Amino acid sequence: MGFVTIRDVARQAGVSITAVSQILHGKGRFSQETRDLVQRTVDELGYIPDSRAQAIRSSRSKTVGLLVPDIRNPFFADLVCSVEEMLHEKGYSTLIGTSAEDVNRQDAFINTLLGYRIDGAIVVPQGVQSPGIDMLVDQDLPLVFVDRRVQGVDSVPFVVSDPYTGLQEALDTLHQLGHRRIGYVAHPSLGSFSVNERETAFREIAAGLFDQEPTIVACDNTFASRKQALVELLAADVTAIVFAYSPDAIALIGLLHDRSIDIGTDVSVVSFDDIDAFKLMTPQIAIISQQVGDMGRQGVEMLLARIDAKRKRRAENRRIPTVFVQRGSVCVAPVG
Amino acid sequence: MGFVTIRDVARQAGVSITAVSQILHGKGRFSQETRDLVQRTVDELGYIPDSRAQAIRSSRSKTVGLLVPDIRNPFFADLVCSVEEMLHEKGYSTLIGTSAEDVNRQDAFINTLLGYRIDGAIVVPQGVQSPGIDMLVDQDLPLVFVDRRVQGVDSVPFVVSDPYTGLQEALDTLHQLGHRRIGYVAHPSLGSFSVNERETAFREIAAGLFDQEPTIVACDNTFASRKQALVELLAADVTAIVFAYSPDAIALIGLLHDRSIDIGTDVSVVSFDDIDAFKLMTPQIAIISQQVGDMGRQGVEMLLARIDAKRKRRAENRRIPTVFVQRGSVCVAPVG
């Protein structure tokens, strides 16, 4: 089925188009039964009132929606920038929204977006299925997931990074430098498919390299959880720490400074994400780069192909290899 | 059926397009019969008048447009975040766009925005008058400028920071620490009213404190201009540098590192903008904080007051005092 129109609602409910329109606008005199019927039909069919849906399909608006979790995270700021720049080159405007890593805010923005005429959307989704994501998928609107995917939603093509390549290089390097007790900081509460996949990759690769079980701790966005994570890592006497989520790395680097534990001497540090702050620190922090610019551009390429395609064939998913970048924060393991 | 156009309505009703347009706008002299016929046809066909202005004015969309120059600049990322958070609290969605510090891109986004139903807009404008800004002002849409204003556009209320308070504190401190040869890095090519006002403030305050004329150099976003700026500052043998624009500070701090000139020992550094990167550096960089969260929230407050006001009285402009935050990058002037 294509896009749901007011005509579909009227037919299904067995009332006139005018009746549907009036009821949705709170006008006209109709029985409560009829009102309920129309509202139920609207909900069932997923009709977007205000003929917004129609408008979306009617003609090219040369506008694309872009949803990211948090632009204060420089990784997403870079992603937005590369997406916007390429869309601008291709003659498109970009309407950006953020979810603040919150499913309800994500869904609120999707709702807003669907009320407008857009040609397609690029979404960094919260990792869980939600009414908003379901609605977006149901619209038959050209759609691409970037950086993350949604478990259980397989109809939307995605471009994500492949954590295995960069993690393999990073852990090989740490192993060669004599590290044997490795710590890993996960961030499961994000509900990010990609961040969680890094943990799986880390466990697999570490199991092949190290005799000793790595120490895996979990952070959320609270200061308390980060402090607790550090306490556990220090208790396990790790000589190297790998961070899945760069805001955790920045917070824990601060805490290490406070305790006068020298990075690049006492402990080696590697974090995911190629953000400027890591280059500005002393020593600079080694990274597993997701090549975010490339990811953004490939997402746009996939989206524009879908917008231009006469028939919406499902696009190929893409995985962009991560790359390890060695820097001063990685050193020979301290003796003992 | 495709999208219903005004042409379809006219054909169906057997009247001219102009007649439909005039009737829908409540203009022209037509019989009640013709008016009713057109209105009925509009309802039957589900025609949505394509008049953007009308749509904008007609009903609350609970959506606000937000235009910022560059979200990779953490100052603007923080601004976006505070604006979006407060709007979300108040039940509004935010459509964000960026101008990439380019008037044409700014105007393209304004054009897109005006094609949608929004209740108002918060804009960090390029500092020059432009067709896009003129169009936005002409819409009679609730509008607030934040962080910057546009020379010559006085009908739009603004909330900006006051550079005098923070600069006075910073220069007093440098003076007390024995600095006599002060450098200042301007960035005139931005066309930012606020960034330019800092230079005026710096000149005035410095003239009152220092006997020696300060060395004022200008950067743009190119590496070459920044390198040249550093060469000029070093030739003038300055002992302290004040940066108007934080991306210049970050670039020149890197160049100082490369030349093994120690910040907080050989040279003192102060920059505008309270961004995280300055706290992550060693030593931490002293700042003149614009209190961006406060600025964002006050901008939202002003906008919502305008949206809710029955009569659009011109709001009071607001200036938020800047604050100097002393950190390790500021030290006693080296002897000699």
mmCIF file of all heavy atoms in Angstrom, chain B residues 286-315:
data_model
loop_
_atom_site.group_PDB
_atom_site.id
_atom_site.type_symbol
_atom_site.label_atom_id
_atom_site.label_comp_id
_atom_site.label_asym_id
_atom_site.label_seq_id
_atom_site.Cartn_x
_atom_site.Cartn_y
_atom_site.Cartn_z
ATOM 1 N N ALA B 286 42.041 29.993 29.947
ATOM 2 C CA ALA B 286 41.158 30.989 30.571
ATOM 3 C C ALA B 286 40.170 31.508 29.523
ATOM 4 O O ALA B 286 40.518 31.647 28.350
ATOM 5 C CB ALA B 286 41.983 32.146 31.125
ATOM 6 N N ILE B 287 38.953 31.793 29.960
ATOM 7 C CA ILE B 287 37.923 32.179 28.993
ATOM 8 C C ILE B 287 37.165 33.438 29.411
ATOM 9 O O ILE B 287 37.154 33.822 30.579
ATOM 10 C CB ILE B 287 36.873 31.054 28.814
ATOM 11 C CG1 ILE B 287 36.301 30.647 30.186
ATOM 12 C CG2 ILE B 287 37.461 29.862 28.100
ATOM 13 C CD1 ILE B 287 34.973 29.952 30.094
ATOM 14 N N ILE B 288 36.549 34.037 28.416
ATOM 15 C CA ILE B 288 35.518 35.028 28.656
ATOM 16 C C ILE B 288 34.221 34.346 28.254
ATOM 17 O O ILE B 288 33.969 34.105 27.074
ATOM 18 C CB ILE B 288 35.780 36.309 27.845
ATOM 19 C CG1 ILE B 288 37.102 36.942 28.315
ATOM 20 C CG2 ILE B 288 34.619 37.286 27.991
ATOM 21 C CD1 ILE B 288 37.596 38.075 27.457
ATOM 22 N N SER B 289 33.448 33.971 29.269
ATOM 23 C CA SER B 289 32.266 33.144 29.020
ATOM 24 C C SER B 289 31.083 33.999 28.621
ATOM 25 O O SER B 289 30.798 35.036 29.224
ATOM 26 C CB SER B 289 31.913 32.348 30.279
ATOM 27 O OG SER B 289 30.618 31.797 30.139
ATOM 28 N N GLN B 290 30.380 33.543 27.599
ATOM 29 C CA GLN B 290 29.180 34.244 27.150
ATOM 30 C C GLN B 290 27.923 33.716 27.806
ATOM 31 O O GLN B 290 26.827 34.145 27.462
ATOM 32 C CB GLN B 290 29.034 34.086 25.643
ATOM 33 C CG GLN B 290 30.130 34.720 24.864
ATOM 34 C CD GLN B 290 29.700 34.815 23.420
ATOM 35 O OE1 GLN B 290 28.813 35.585 23.071
ATOM 36 N NE2 GLN B 290 30.307 34.018 22.580
ATOM 37 N N GLN B 291 28.088 32.712 28.685
ATOM 38 C CA GLN B 291 26.910 32.147 29.350
ATOM 39 C C GLN B 291 25.853 31.748 28.332
ATOM 40 O O GLN B 291 24.710 32.214 28.369
ATOM 41 C CB GLN B 291 26.354 33.160 30.353
ATOM 42 C CG GLN B 291 27.431 33.663 31.300
ATOM 43 C CD GLN B 291 26.863 34.406 32.468
ATOM 44 O OE1 GLN B 291 26.202 33.830 33.313
ATOM 45 N NE2 GLN B 291 27.108 35.697 32.504
ATOM 46 N N VAL B 292 26.280 30.858 27.468
ATOM 47 C CA VAL B 292 25.471 30.531 26.295
ATOM 48 C C VAL B 292 24.116 29.905 26.659
ATOM 49 O O VAL B 292 23.113 30.167 25.995
ATOM 50 C CB VAL B 292 26.273 29.636 25.324
ATOM 51 C CG1 VAL B 292 26.667 28.316 25.976
ATOM 52 C CG2 VAL B 292 25.517 29.377 24.049
ATOM 53 N N GLY B 293 24.088 29.087 27.713
ATOM 54 C CA GLY B 293 22.825 28.451 28.103
ATOM 55 C C GLY B 293 21.786 29.500 28.466
ATOM 56 O O GLY B 293 20.625 29.431 28.048
ATOM 57 N N ASP B 294 22.254 30.490 29.217
ATOM 58 C CA ASP B 294 21.389 31.588 29.628
ATOM 59 C C ASP B 294 20.880 32.363 28.403
ATOM 60 O O ASP B 294 19.696 32.708 28.312
ATOM 61 C CB ASP B 294 22.219 32.519 30.528
ATOM 62 C CG ASP B 294 21.340 33.356 31.426
ATOM 63 O OD1 ASP B 294 20.179 32.959 31.662
ATOM 64 O OD2 ASP B 294 21.809 34.403 31.893
ATOM 65 N N MET B 295 21.788 32.599 27.470
ATOM 66 C CA MET B 295 21.427 33.336 26.261
ATOM 67 C C MET B 295 20.358 32.577 25.480
ATOM 68 O O MET B 295 19.376 33.164 25.010
ATOM 69 C CB MET B 295 22.680 33.544 25.416
ATOM 70 C CG MET B 295 22.533 34.535 24.321
ATOM 71 S SD MET B 295 24.095 35.424 24.037
ATOM 72 C CE MET B 295 25.072 34.146 23.314
ATOM 73 N N GLY B 296 20.558 31.267 25.328
ATOM 74 C CA GLY B 296 19.584 30.450 24.605
ATOM 75 C C GLY B 296 18.223 30.481 25.269
ATOM 76 O O GLY B 296 17.195 30.667 24.615
ATOM 77 N N ARG B 297 18.227 30.319 26.597
ATOM 78 C CA ARG B 297 16.948 30.281 27.306
ATOM 79 C C ARG B 297 16.229 31.623 27.224
ATOM 80 O O ARG B 297 15.014 31.687 27.049
ATOM 81 C CB ARG B 297 17.160 29.853 28.762
ATOM 82 C CG ARG B 297 17.375 28.346 28.917
ATOM 83 C CD ARG B 297 17.456 27.920 30.370
ATOM 84 N NE ARG B 297 18.619 28.464 31.049
ATOM 85 C CZ ARG B 297 19.829 27.894 31.038
ATOM 86 N NH1 ARG B 297 20.025 26.757 30.387
ATOM 87 N NH2 ARG B 297 20.836 28.445 31.665
ATOM 88 N N GLN B 298 16.985 32.716 27.330
ATOM 89 C CA GLN B 298 16.342 34.026 27.236
ATOM 90 C C GLN B 298 15.793 34.273 25.832
ATOM 91 O O GLN B 298 14.746 34.906 25.671
ATOM 92 C CB GLN B 298 17.320 35.131 27.639
ATOM 93 C CG GLN B 298 17.730 35.001 29.098
ATOM 94 C CD GLN B 298 18.036 36.355 29.725
ATOM 95 O OE1 GLN B 298 17.536 37.391 29.289
ATOM 96 N NE2 GLN B 298 18.860 36.348 30.762
ATOM 97 N N GLY B 299 16.502 33.766 24.830
ATOM 98 C CA GLY B 299 16.006 33.879 23.457
ATOM 99 C C GLY B 299 14.665 33.167 23.304
ATOM 100 O O GLY B 299 13.728 33.690 22.697
ATOM 101 N N VAL B 300 14.572 31.969 23.880
ATOM 102 C CA VAL B 300 13.319 31.204 23.805
ATOM 103 C C VAL B 300 12.201 31.952 24.529
ATOM 104 O O VAL B 300 11.086 32.075 24.024
ATOM 105 C CB VAL B 300 13.495 29.793 24.412
ATOM 106 C CG1 VAL B 300 12.147 29.080 24.522
ATOM 107 C CG2 VAL B 300 14.457 28.964 23.567
ATOM 108 N N GLU B 301 12.541 32.463 25.699
ATOM 109 C CA GLU B 301 11.562 33.211 26.491
ATOM 110 C C GLU B 301 11.002 34.392 25.691
ATOM 111 O O GLU B 301 9.785 34.610 25.645
ATOM 112 C CB GLU B 301 12.288 33.715 27.735
ATOM 113 C CG GLU B 301 11.443 34.046 28.920
ATOM 114 C CD GLU B 301 12.351 34.501 30.059
ATOM 115 O OE1 GLU B 301 13.006 33.622 30.661
ATOM 116 O OE2 GLU B 301 12.442 35.722 30.301
ATOM 117 N N MET B 302 11.902 35.144 25.053
ATOM 118 C CA MET B 302 11.470 36.288 24.253
ATOM 119 C C MET B 302 10.595 35.837 23.089
ATOM 120 O O MET B 302 9.585 36.463 22.762
ATOM 121 C CB MET B 302 12.689 37.047 23.717
ATOM 122 C CG MET B 302 13.396 37.889 24.766
ATOM 123 S SD MET B 302 15.078 38.365 24.237
ATOM 124 C CE MET B 302 14.697 39.616 23.007
ATOM 125 N N LEU B 303 11.004 34.741 22.448
ATOM 126 C CA LEU B 303 10.247 34.261 21.294
ATOM 127 C C LEU B 303 8.850 33.806 21.702
ATOM 128 O O LEU B 303 7.863 34.158 21.058
ATOM 129 C CB LEU B 303 10.979 33.106 20.601
ATOM 130 C CG LEU B 303 10.279 32.634 19.320
ATOM 131 C CD1 LEU B 303 10.468 33.651 18.204
ATOM 132 C CD2 LEU B 303 10.754 31.263 18.877
ATOM 133 N N LEU B 304 8.780 33.022 22.787
ATOM 134 C CA LEU B 304 7.473 32.499 23.201
ATOM 135 C C LEU B 304 6.550 33.634 23.615
ATOM 136 O O LEU B 304 5.341 33.592 23.355
ATOM 137 C CB LEU B 304 7.627 31.469 24.326
ATOM 138 C CG LEU B 304 8.378 30.186 23.933
ATOM 139 C CD1 LEU B 304 8.390 29.192 25.087
ATOM 140 C CD2 LEU B 304 7.784 29.539 22.690
ATOM 141 N N ALA B 305 7.114 34.665 24.228
ATOM 142 C CA ALA B 305 6.301 35.830 24.591
ATOM 143 C C ALA B 305 5.728 36.478 23.335
ATOM 144 O O ALA B 305 4.568 36.894 23.302
ATOM 145 C CB ALA B 305 7.133 36.828 25.385
ATOM 146 N N ARG B 306 6.526 36.526 22.289
ATOM 147 C CA ARG B 306 6.042 37.118 21.029
ATOM 148 C C ARG B 306 4.994 36.239 20.363
ATOM 149 O O ARG B 306 4.048 36.731 19.762
ATOM 150 C CB ARG B 306 7.208 37.351 20.066
ATOM 151 C CG ARG B 306 7.968 38.641 20.371
ATOM 152 C CD ARG B 306 9.217 38.745 19.541
ATOM 153 N NE ARG B 306 8.979 39.262 18.200
ATOM 154 C CZ ARG B 306 8.822 40.544 17.902
ATOM 155 N NH1 ARG B 306 8.838 41.439 18.860
ATOM 156 N NH2 ARG B 306 8.645 40.931 16.661
ATOM 157 N N ILE B 307 5.208 34.911 20.443
ATOM 158 C CA ILE B 307 4.236 33.992 19.842
ATOM 159 C C ILE B 307 2.893 34.104 20.563
ATOM 160 O O ILE B 307 1.834 34.109 19.941
ATOM 161 C CB ILE B 307 4.754 32.531 19.886
ATOM 162 C CG1 ILE B 307 5.926 32.359 18.910
ATOM 163 C CG2 ILE B 307 3.641 31.534 19.559
ATOM 164 C CD1 ILE B 307 6.610 31.010 18.964
ATOM 165 N N ASP B 308 2.959 34.214 21.885
ATOM 166 C CA ASP B 308 1.730 34.235 22.674
ATOM 167 C C ASP B 308 1.040 35.596 22.684
ATOM 168 O O ASP B 308 -0.149 35.682 22.978
ATOM 169 C CB ASP B 308 2.022 33.814 24.121
ATOM 170 C CG ASP B 308 2.362 32.332 24.192
ATOM 171 O OD1 ASP B 308 1.948 31.606 23.271
ATOM 172 O OD2 ASP B 308 3.042 31.914 25.138
ATOM 173 N N ALA B 309 1.797 36.645 22.382
ATOM 174 C CA ALA B 309 1.234 37.989 22.484
ATOM 175 C C ALA B 309 0.152 38.194 21.435
ATOM 176 O O ALA B 309 0.300 37.791 20.284
ATOM 177 C CB ALA B 309 2.332 39.024 22.298
ATOM 178 N N LYS B 310 -0.942 38.791 21.850
ATOM 179 C CA LYS B 310 -2.003 39.122 20.899
ATOM 180 C C LYS B 310 -1.487 40.204 19.955
ATOM 181 O O LYS B 310 -1.547 40.088 18.749
ATOM 182 C CB LYS B 310 -3.241 39.646 21.638
ATOM 183 C CG LYS B 310 -3.969 38.594 22.426
ATOM 184 C CD LYS B 310 -5.058 37.914 21.595
ATOM 185 C CE LYS B 310 -5.782 36.865 22.409
ATOM 186 N NZ LYS B 310 -4.869 35.841 22.956
ATOM 187 N N ARG B 311 -0.967 41.257 20.543
ATOM 188 C CA ARG B 311 -0.391 42.301 19.723
ATOM 189 C C ARG B 311 1.122 42.163 19.771
ATOM 190 O O ARG B 311 1.706 41.919 20.823
ATOM 191 C CB ARG B 311 -0.789 43.684 20.253
ATOM 192 C CG ARG B 311 -1.858 44.330 19.387
ATOM 193 C CD ARG B 311 -2.181 45.694 19.919
ATOM 194 N NE ARG B 311 -3.460 45.664 20.628
ATOM 195 C CZ ARG B 311 -3.871 46.651 21.415
ATOM 196 N NH1 ARG B 311 -3.105 47.701 21.633
ATOM 197 N NH2 ARG B 311 -5.038 46.576 21.999
ATOM 198 N N LYS B 312 1.735 42.302 18.630
ATOM 199 C CA LYS B 312 3.181 42.120 18.572
ATOM 200 C C LYS B 312 3.895 43.416 18.977
ATOM 201 O O LYS B 312 4.292 44.199 18.133
ATOM 202 C CB LYS B 312 3.613 41.716 17.163
ATOM 203 C CG LYS B 312 3.011 40.407 16.687
ATOM 204 C CD LYS B 312 3.767 39.209 17.262
ATOM 205 C CE LYS B 312 3.137 37.893 16.837
ATOM 206 N NZ LYS B 312 2.008 37.489 17.713
ATOM 207 N N ARG B 313 4.021 43.596 20.279
ATOM 208 C CA ARG B 313 4.834 44.722 20.711
ATOM 209 C C ARG B 313 6.293 44.350 20.535
ATOM 210 O O ARG B 313 6.666 43.197 20.719
ATOM 211 C CB ARG B 313 4.560 45.028 22.181
ATOM 212 C CG ARG B 313 3.486 46.083 22.369
ATOM 213 C CD ARG B 313 3.500 46.530 23.796
ATOM 214 N NE ARG B 313 3.710 45.370 24.677
ATOM 215 C CZ ARG B 313 4.113 45.460 25.928
ATOM 216 N NH1 ARG B 313 4.376 46.630 26.461
ATOM 217 N NH2 ARG B 313 4.251 44.381 26.680
ATOM 218 N N ARG B 314 7.104 45.298 20.215
ATOM 219 C CA ARG B 314 8.519 45.019 20.053
ATOM 220 C C ARG B 314 9.101 44.696 21.434
ATOM 221 O O ARG B 314 8.893 45.414 22.399
ATOM 222 C CB ARG B 314 9.203 46.253 19.487
ATOM 223 C CG ARG B 314 10.454 45.854 18.733
ATOM 224 C CD ARG B 314 11.202 47.052 18.208
ATOM 225 N NE ARG B 314 12.577 46.673 17.967
ATOM 226 C CZ ARG B 314 13.375 46.238 18.901
ATOM 227 N NH1 ARG B 314 12.973 46.144 20.120
ATOM 228 N NH2 ARG B 314 14.617 45.891 18.608
ATOM 229 N N ALA B 315 9.809 43.570 21.510
ATOM 230 C CA ALA B 315 10.366 43.178 22.800
ATOM 231 C C ALA B 315 11.603 44.012 23.121
ATOM 232 O O ALA B 315 12.203 44.621 22.248
ATOM 233 C CB ALA B 315 10.738 41.703 22.764
#
